[in-house]
Amino acid sequence: MVRPLNIAFIHPDLGIGGAERLVVDAAISLQKRGHRVVIYTMHHDLSHCFAETRDGTLDVRVGGNWLVPRSIGGRFHILCTILRSLMLARQIVNDSEQYDALFVDQLSAPIPLLKYTHAHIFFYCHFPDYLLARRDSLGQKLYRAPFDLLEEFTTGEADEIVVNSRFTQETFRKAFPHLSKIPKVLSPALNFEAYDRPVDSGDPLLRALLTEKRIVLSINRFERKKDIGLALQAFALCLQRNSATGNGAKRAAINNCCLVVAGGWDPRVSENTQYLKELDAQAKQLGLCTRTISPQRASKEALALLPDGAVGAPTILDDDDDSPTDQLASIDVLFLPSFTENQRAFLLSAARCVVYTPTNEHLGIVPLEAMYMRVPVVAADSGGPRETIQHGQTGYLCEPAEDDFAAAISKLLTMDDNKWRVMGDAGHDRVKLAFSLDTFGAKLEHLIVDMLQRPTHASVVLGVIATLFIIFVVALTLLLTWWR
């Protein structure tokens, strides 16, 4: 029997992405196993977060954001994020509570400072940030160099390092050749209870999604690395090929469909706002008719950042409303930024297939969600999806090219319903067997308990040295920036 532990999670931005879903599920799983859990974060928007973080299920504490902005003139994001994380770490160090373990993810920079808590530090690496940053110019390379060195150094200071897939494990070893530690693999899981809840059909926000068309669904944050444009190109090619060669029932099945592009969209993040507009323009250039539904409770400033013509979803149901039942009858592509959990549940229950376009994605929680909801997945044949999707049984793995994706989408749209259900059931069974929250929680607890049996990886003295190193890196970065 494991004694109850006091565990704190440290996560930069508690939004609605895959990393946030993992943190929330990990916290819930440990809480259910009798441990006390607290989540520290630098940002928590109650209108843009998972329900468990705002309904009292989890204790969420915000800090580190009162002095340093998210960016300076739209630049220096990583520098500002590190400084904010250090301020949050200082708050945790000064907290009167004593923690047995700290679960840190995404950002390793505060680890040396967190050594002052005398807690063991468990670092969950979703993917090395070193490999996600752009270095298109000499200036960018100079700017990133100290941060890349800092990431490797501070990651190595953790008492336990865990990654989300075998793909990330191998990538980690290549990215950080100076670290002798080989990270262990702990794949994310799904909280099945959250997906088993029935859709709230009385939710007025669902009205804008009502359609008799078959839905092809894409769920991703609006970031360029997610390659959502591939979904647009493949969908357009589907329609084009069908018009030229399709016949009978198959032609009708493909013609009567709609692509819904849903995902995280934060008006504070310039890439989110820019990329959504780029996708809308791309879809129109492909000859597709688009519509954008504005997020619920979006501010006037946020609404101004949406593509032209964005419309709001109804907030109340009006029995006398004479608008058409099929809201998407004339729409080819619907953009749904910052959708709600009930909208997500509705779309997953109604989708014919889910299109997952990122290449070399470290794992990808969306394919797991889709398969659990009995929806076949079309994904790029690389990275984490190779470990979750069984080609030809729970979906299709394709080369990241519009021809391959279009062929797979067409196959699912025109597939016999019985065969489609068999594929959906296979996906459901696979996720239930291999990615349950109970199994994940047991493995996570075992890893943490095992870590606590060992002495902490480094002393407070080394933490002081590492903290001074961080300050030096920040100063050097500012100097290089000024010099440029």
Side-chain angles (χ1 to χ4, degrees), residues 248-315:
K250 289 188 175 182
R251 172 179 285 187
I254 294 178
N255 279 344
N256 192 36
C257 65
C258 175
L259 173 64
V260 177
V261 179
W265 180 88
D266 190 335
R268 300 171 304 137
V269 180
S270 59
E271 183 184 17
N272 287 182
T273 60
Q274 293 168 6
Y275 192 44
L276 175 54
K277 289 182 177 180
E278 290 170 13
L279 291 171
D280 181 65
Q282 179 184 0
K284 290 173 179 175
Q285 289 174 354
L286 290 168
L288 303 172
C289 184
T290 71
R291 176 182 293 162
T292 300
I293 303 295
S294 60
Q296 186 184 22
R297 294 190 294 272
S299 65
K300 290 183 179 179
E301 293 78 10
L303 292 174
L305 297 171
L306 292 167
D308 293 339
V311 298
T315 55

Side-chain angles (χ1 to χ4, degrees), residues 32 72 83 134 152 174 210 228 230 248 255 264 305 312 320 324 366 384 388 419 436 439 474:
K32 285 182 175 179
I72 301 173
L83 292 175
R134 297 179 60 181
E152 182 168 6
K174 293 177 181 178
L210 297 178
I228 302 172
L230 175 59
N255 279 344
L305 297 171
D320 297 328
V366 171
T388 56
K419 186 177 179 181
S436 74
T439 301
V474 170

Side-chain angles (χ1 to χ4, degrees), residues 163-290:
V163 294
N164 54 16
S165 67
R166 294 189 300 275
F167 170 72
T168 304
Q169 182 186 54
E170 184 59 30
T171 303
F172 181 99
R173 294 174 65 182
K174 293 177 181 178
F176 302 134
H178 301 106
L179 295 184
S180 59
K181 290 183 180 179
I182 299 177
K184 297 171 183 175
V185 177
L186 178 62
S187 297
L190 292 188
N191 182 3
F192 298 151
E193 293 178 4
Y195 297 89
D196 290 337
R197 297 189 195 110
V199 175
D200 178 9
S201 57
D203 181 359
L205 294 176
L206 298 185
R207 171 159 246 169
L209 308 179
L210 297 178
T211 182
E212 296 175 4
K213 291 184 173 183
R214 289 187 168 182
I215 293 176
V216 177
L217 179 61
S218 167
I219 299 178
N220 262 310
R221 289 190 305 277
F222 286 94
E223 297 176 355
R224 294 182 181 90
K225 68 181 179 183
K226 300 299 184 180
D227 199 16
I228 302 172
L230 175 59
L232 297 175
Q233 294 168 339
F235 184 73
L237 186 58
C238 253
L239 298 180
Q240 180 183 340
R241 285 178 174 172
N242 187 58
S243 298
T245 61
N247 56 73
K250 289 188 175 182
R251 172 179 285 187
I254 294 178
N255 279 344
N256 192 36
C257 65
C258 175
L259 173 64
V260 177
V261 179
W265 180 88
D266 190 335
R268 300 171 304 137
V269 180
S270 59
E271 183 184 17
N272 287 182
T273 60
Q274 293 168 6
Y275 192 44
L276 175 54
K277 289 182 177 180
E278 290 170 13
L279 291 171
D280 181 65
Q282 179 184 0
K284 290 173 179 175
Q285 289 174 354
L286 290 168
L288 303 172
C289 184
T290 71

